[in-house]
Amino acid sequence: QSALTQPPSASGSPGQSVTISCTGTSSDVGGYNYVSWYQQHPGKAPKVMIYGVSKRPSGVPDRFSGSKSGNTASLTVSGLQAEDEGDYYCSSYAGSNNVVFGGGTKLTVL
Amino acid sequence: EVQLVASGGGLVQPGGSLRLSCAASGFTVSGEYMTWVRQAPGKGLEWVSVIYSNGNTYFTDSVKGRFTISRDNSKNMVYLQMNSLRADDTAVYYCARNDYDFWNPGSWGQGLLVTVSS
């Protein structure tokens, strides 16, 4: 499976909103509602921010939201805060008992 | 509280073997889907393997035939046995529990560095 496509970088000022895209195919993102988003800070394990396309685990601020249209999933971070800076990865079930990740997006809070 | 503590990483020569262990607490591994994910230095995340609650196992193409995943229900542990290691297997390896859906990792362990080098 090919990795899902994410922009290498994204940025925004505190208080602004930023959206990160995750583009796959009808065999992964477009075919299943099993898309997750992860936040990773340097030297740390990833933390799930969104699962099932748009669901938030307990404890994740409602500033984080997810959506999907066709073969593209999106993560929106509203009201950007300094602690939101980090790397963000999407993942999707890809059929045949496989999971594929995106290449990652470095989010910078200006 | 769900906790995953991995052990067993280190330096190994090309062609060598290493077994990674993942000790789980706060839940029973036998009832869960457990995943290994790796991250090469400076690179993105790569799904490696999963073991289902029914014991079925699956692998990414690049490790098929070289890696095996297993669990010990009595110890509540999951293992990743890595054989015929290559330089491109060098990465931080994470074990994870698929908490929120069957497929994608939810709770993650702390990560183990595996370096394959002569």
Side-chain angles (χ1 to χ4, degrees), chain A residues 3 6 10 12 15 20 23 27 32 36-37 41 58 62-63 75-77 93-94 110:
Chain A
Q6 296 182 234
I20 300 170
T23 301
S27 297
Y32 307 94
S36 293
W37 288 91
H41 290 132
S58 174
D62 60 7
R63 303 184 293 102
L75 172 73
T76 298
V77 186
Y93 180 59
L110 301 170

Side-chain angles (χ1 to χ4, degrees), chain B residues 19-21 36 68-70 72 75 77-81:
Chain B
R19 188 179 81 158
L20 306 183
S21 301
W36 287 93
T68 58
I69 186 172
S70 62
D72 185 329
K75 296 181 179 178
M77 294 188 68
V78 177
Y79 305 98
L80 186 68
Q81 177 68 44

Side-chain angles (χ1 to χ4, degrees), chain A residues 1 34-36 38 40 44-48 51-52 57-58 89 91-93 96-103, chain B residues 37 39 43-47 50 52 58-61 64 94 100-111:
Chain A
Q1 288 79 23
Y34 294 117
V35 176
S36 293
Y38 304 91
Q40 186 180 35
K44 301 294 187 181
K47 173 187 175 184
V48 62
Y51 69 97
S58 174
Y89 295 90
S91 70
S92 173
Y93 180 59
S96 301
N97 304 291
N98 283 289
V99 170
V100 62
F101 281 92
Chain B
V37 175
Q39 186 170 32
K43 303 296 184 182
L45 301 172
E46 180 186 22
W47 180 85
V50 64
Y52 289 169
Y58 300 93
F59 303 87
T60 192
D61 286 346
K64 281 179 183 174
Y94 296 97
Y100 299 105
D101 65 47
F102 287 129
W103 318 113
N104 295 290
S107 302
W108 298 62
Q110 85 281 16

